[in-house]
Amino acid sequence: QERKLALEAITTSVIPFEKALEKYDSMSSGESQDIGVVLSYPSPDGESSGVGAASTASGSASVTGGASGAAAAAAAGGVTLQEPATGLHVIGAGNFARTMLLPHLRDRIPFRTITNHTSLSARHVKEKFGFESAFTHYEEALNGAGASDAVLIATRHHLHAPMVLDSLNAGAHVFVEKPLCLTLDELVRIDKAVEASARTVQVGFNRRFAPVSTALKQLVERTPGPKTATIRVMAGRLAPDHWYANFQESGGRILGEACHFFDFFCFLFGSRPVRVYCHNAWPVEGRLPFPDSISALVEFADGSSGQLIYTAEGDTGYPKETMSVYGAGFVSELTNFQTMDIYKGRRRLTRKSTSKGHAEQMQAWASFLQGREAQPLPYSQARTSMLVTFAALASIRRGAAVSIDLDDPMSLI
């Protein structure tokens, strides 16, 4: 019998090779509390590899399944395009795309086509942002998309999965606003399409790109041991005539919005989610025929745990999104992902930003499309976050904790 040291048990962080000197300095000065550090480095084929672990600093080790071979490399991250994307096709010209996404992509990639179901809005965005063409049916735009093009999808939720599939079939790289899809069947179909196409799919989980989130992630990575986090979201009551109240279009607020925060747990801990327990905070037979107030607990393989309280109740005078994180020797408090207080060594450090990560995510995706940076949010990570969300819904249905099998999504049915 071989006697080997279990390196995973003493590995407290994984960092890119180029940050090795910085890490050595922090450990020598006593600032870092790491026990074991794994250096990841790019291999000749562009994938990230390391000694003693197969993860990267972005936390891709938390995800497995859904792709293999060349497609797995594209899905798992660490991949940089050999040839830059030649143009962008945008589907959806609503206010969110116009204000939160397109301004940060302008002058970074040629704008080819804009599609919207109303021709007036399509023409308005075409003229404002300098698109070459405007359409009312996205199939027309995809027919002219080249194999080196990219597609951005910012439509209502029920259209996301079909448009992702059609865009991948057209040979394009894809950015799609959250949620990725509304059903497990759609997720499995996207898995197969990613595997077959070797193209990339990125989901609009912007909270992980916020400047305070990046700083918090660095603190968590250099702190040994499991962590505990609580996210409290006071979403407010949903008007019955809001499109989110149309379950067929939105999938409900848990799939449509709470997925953001399940993704943040996965990002923050960088560990594999293993189990979810979720229940309604009030009866489903209330104003809406599906839950919009929940309490969920997500357990991770490294012993970390995340609690999400997502509620339609409360008072608008209180911040919409608050978060507390507890780790060895520190406590962190976030407000609206724009202000962070860190309590450590009997001192409080405050960091502020006006961004919730939309600009940073768009800029990172643009750098990827330009061939300058690796895929900033691999499909495999977004896929795991969606599985956690589906597991939360399954837990509500079953009235019990639900285990997550990353290789078998349909087990959540």
Side-chain angles (χ1 to χ4, degrees):
Q1 181 180 359
E2 295 184 47
R3 301 178 63 86
K4 296 183 178 180
L5 180 65
L7 296 178
E8 294 84 357
I10 61 172
T11 298
T12 54
S13 67
V14 182
I15 64 171
F17 178 77
E18 57 268 22
K19 294 185 178 181
L21 292 180
E22 177 183 338
K23 175 57 68 174
Y24 282 132
D25 289 340
S26 66
M27 293 178 73
S28 299
S29 65
E31 177 184 353
S32 173
Q33 300 183 47
D34 277 313
I35 299 173
V37 178
V38 173
L39 302 180
S40 65
Y41 53 92
S43 60
D45 61 2
E47 294 186 51
S48 179
S49 59
V51 178
S55 61
T56 67
S58 62
S60 60
S62 65
V63 182
T64 60
S68 60
V79 174
T80 303
L81 296 183
Q82 298 300 311
E83 296 183 4
T86 55
L88 177 66
H89 303 266
V90 177
I91 308 173
N95 183 64
F96 183 81
R98 295 196 306 267
T99 60
M100 305 304 293
L101 305 181
L102 294 182
H104 307 297
L105 294 172
R106 195 202 299 259
D107 300 326
R108 291 175 174 269
I109 182 172
F111 286 179
R112 301 297 188 204
T113 67
I114 177 69
T115 300
N116 200 66
H117 69 281
T118 58
S119 59
L120 182 62
S121 295
R123 288 198 301 270
H124 170 71
V125 175
K126 172 183 178 293
E127 295 170 0
K128 179 178 180 180
F129 289 95
F131 283 89
E132 296 175 0
S133 305
F135 298 99
T136 55
H137 295 87
Y138 76 94
E139 293 88 351
E140 298 178 80
L142 293 184
N143 285 339
S148 298
D149 285 353
V151 173
L152 185 150
I153 301 168
T155 62
R156 293 192 177 184
H157 301 166
H158 67 299
L159 300 174
H160 287 185
M163 290 179 174
V164 167
L165 292 168
D166 288 344
S167 299
L168 288 173
N169 289 335
H173 295 281
V174 182
F175 177 94
V176 57
E177 261 307 316
K178 54 80 190 168
L180 171 64
C181 56
L182 297 185
T183 69
L184 287 166
D185 179 68
E186 288 178 335
L187 181 64
V188 171
R189 291 172 62 195
I190 294 173
D191 284 348
K192 294 178 180 178
V194 170
E195 182 176 0
S197 69
R199 290 299 179 179
T200 62
V201 175
Q202 184 177 157
V203 180
F205 290 133
N206 60 281
R207 298 300 195 280
R208 59 164 65 202
F209 289 87
V212 296
S213 300
T214 301
L216 177 61
K217 172 72 170 178
Q218 293 171 350
L219 173 62
V220 167
E221 284 186 328
R222 62 175 181 258
T223 301
K227 292 85 182 176
T228 303
T230 299
I231 298 178
R232 302 167 296 279
V233 182
M234 195 200 67
R237 292 195 175 190
L238 186 63
D241 59 348
H242 192 282
W243 74 269
Y244 256 85
N246 184 334
F247 187 79
Q248 299 304 316
E249 289 190 351
S250 70
R253 298 177 92 177
I254 308 308
L255 266 176
E257 292 185 8
C259 61
H260 255 316
F261 309 104
F262 289 127
D263 174 74
F264 196 82
F265 287 142
C266 295
F267 158 76
L268 185 64
F269 299 137
S271 179
R272 179 174 56 84
V274 295
R275 188 164 39 250
V276 177
Y277 176 68
C278 182
H279 67 90
N280 298 324
W282 64 351
V284 176
E285 60 269 21
R287 292 177 303 107
L288 298 174
F290 50 88
D292 66 352
S293 294
I294 63 168
S295 178
L297 180 67
V298 186
E299 301 174 24
F300 290 82
D302 71 344
S304 295
S305 65
Q307 181 190 36
L308 172 63
I309 299 173
Y310 185 97
T311 178
E313 299 302 299
D315 183 84
T316 55
Y318 190 77
K320 180 181 178 182
E321 300 168 359
T322 56
M323 181 177 183
S324 302
V325 183
Y326 301 86
F330 83 90
V331 176
S332 181
E333 294 278 350
L334 273 70
T335 303
N336 291 330
F337 289 88
Q338 295 175 315
T339 301
M340 177 172 65
D341 291 317
I342 298 175
Y343 299 83
K344 185 175 182 179
R346 298 180 179 272
R347 294 181 299 172
R348 184 179 75 175
L349 173 66
T350 299
R351 176 165 181 168
K352 296 184 178 181
S353 172
T354 59
S355 174
K356 284 191 175 183
H358 296 98
E360 290 77 8
Q361 183 171 23
M362 286 295 93
Q363 291 163 4
W365 190 54
S367 294
F368 165 70
L369 295 177
Q370 292 170 331
R372 296 166 48 196
E373 302 288 344
Q375 169 67 287
L377 173 49
Y379 170 73
S380 53
Q381 293 184 29
R383 175 186 186 270
T384 290
S385 300
M386 290 304 305
L387 281 175
V388 174
T389 309
F390 284 120
L393 293 173
S395 179
I396 292 174
R397 292 195 306 269
R398 300 178 189 179
V402 172
S403 297
I404 301 173
D405 185 345
L406 297 179
D407 295 316
D408 184 15
M410 303 310 288
S411 64
L412 296 175
I413 291 180

